Amino acid sequence: DQQVKQNSPSLSVQEGRISILNCDYTNSMFDYFLWYKKYPAEGPTFLISISSIKDKNEDGRFTVFLNKSAKHLSLHIVPSQPGDSAVYFCAAADSSYKLIFGSGTRLLVRP
Amino acid sequence: DTGVSQDPRHKITKRGQNVTFRCDPISEHNRLYWYRQTLGQGPEFLTYFQNEAQLEKSRLLSDRFSAERPKGSFSTLEIQRTEQGDSAMYLCASTPNPPGYTFGSGTRLTVV
């Protein structure tokens, strides 16, 4: 059973516009949610996280929104830049702080 | 560079051979995690250590897999009698306090 789902395998946006990446989860006991960015042949790079007790966290161009009632979170990138093109993974941390990842969304930012 | 270091970066092995990977975490990080990533999927949890104690193992970690973290410093992941299905990227991550994980660049294993 997939506890963390990213239903959009890919997303293409124009440079300067907003990128919205979505993630759904099934386990209401997750403590933290995180977004990672990954380039080919590299490990995931941490972007931003949010505690389950919050509904928004912002860091520069990146904002994560958490809707606990819908078990949904989203990552907003604005403005999008070509260097943001990568695969983005949503992850949830359980009580032992192991991460459960979604399958990823490939973002392409077109110049 | 004080990031998480993994060695080797790439490993090609014949089916049935044993392989061992090494992870050197950031020195002050007491928690160390191993993940496996296959093509088109997100990383999947394998096991984690707090200092030298292995606290949890995934059911993905068959008896051919073993991990150690002697003295709570570097960690090794060994796969015995490799199978083609073991081909994947093996990732190591460390953290002093969750959820601030830092991942290494991974070891890509190809079993031929």
Side-chain angles (χ1 to χ4, degrees):
Chain A
D1 65 330
Q2 252 188 309
Q3 297 190 64
V4 178
K5 294 182 184 179
Q6 293 177 259
N7 292 317
S8 299
S10 64
L11 175 68
S12 179
V13 300
Q14 193 73 39
E15 180 180 6
R17 306 295 286 269
I18 186 171
S19 296
I20 300 176
L21 296 99
N22 294 303
C23 179
D24 297 296
Y25 62 94
T26 57
N27 187 344
S28 58
M29 301 301 290
F30 288 135
D31 291 324
Y32 281 93
F33 300 89
L34 305 92
W35 284 93
Y36 281 84
K37 176 179 178 180
K38 189 177 185 301
Y39 295 113
E42 293 184 13
T45 301
F46 171 75
L47 278 175
I48 192 168
S49 66
I50 187 167
S51 164
S52 59
I53 62 173
K54 300 201 181 256
D55 54 20
K56 177 182 175 181
N57 188 26
E58 193 171 349
D59 184 1
R61 296 185 299 116
F62 302 93
T63 303
V64 56
F65 295 92
L66 176 62
N67 182 335
K68 288 185 286 295
S69 61
K71 295 192 177 70
H72 178 85
L73 66 156
S74 60
L75 174 68
H76 292 210
I77 307 173
V78 57
S80 302
Q81 300 172 353
D84 295 329
S85 297
V87 178
Y88 287 77
F89 290 99
C90 165
D94 67 8
S95 56
S96 64
Y97 295 108
K98 67 178 183 283
L99 297 180
I100 299 168
F101 285 84
S103 54
T105 297
R106 182 177 301 278
L107 174 66
L108 174 65
V109 180
R110 306 184 309 274
Chain B
D1 183 16
T2 57
V4 177
S5 176
Q6 291 189 246
D7 184 69
R9 290 294 306 274
H10 304 276
K11 178 72 176 178
I12 300 175
T13 191
K14 291 184 179 178
R15 191 172 50 191
Q17 298 293 304
N18 299 344
V19 294
T20 300
F21 311 139
R22 176 177 170 127
C23 171
D24 286 273
I26 294 171
S27 58
E28 63 268 24
H29 288 189
N30 61 352
R31 285 184 178 233
L32 185 150
Y33 296 75
W34 284 98
Y35 290 84
R36 179 174 71 184
Q37 185 178 18
T38 53
L39 202 61
Q41 300 297 317
E44 295 174 292
F45 169 77
L46 292 178
T47 188
Y48 92 93
F49 293 84
Q50 181 156 338
N51 300 313
E52 65 274 13
Q54 187 174 18
L55 295 186
E56 190 170 344
K57 293 194 290 187
S58 164
R59 56 186 168 79
L60 292 175
L61 217 65
S62 76
D63 56 6
R64 296 185 297 106
F65 288 70
S66 62
E68 294 183 341
R69 192 182 182 196
K71 302 177 184 177
S73 56
F74 71 92
S75 177
T76 57
L77 178 67
E78 182 184 15
I79 309 174
Q80 296 182 327
R81 304 181 304 281
T82 52
E83 301 172 357
Q84 286 190 318
D86 297 331
S87 295
M89 172 79 85
Y90 290 83
L91 294 161
C92 176
S94 69
T95 180
N97 286 305
Y101 305 85
T102 301
F103 279 84
S105 296
T107 294
R108 178 164 296 285
L109 173 66
T110 303
V111 181
V112 298

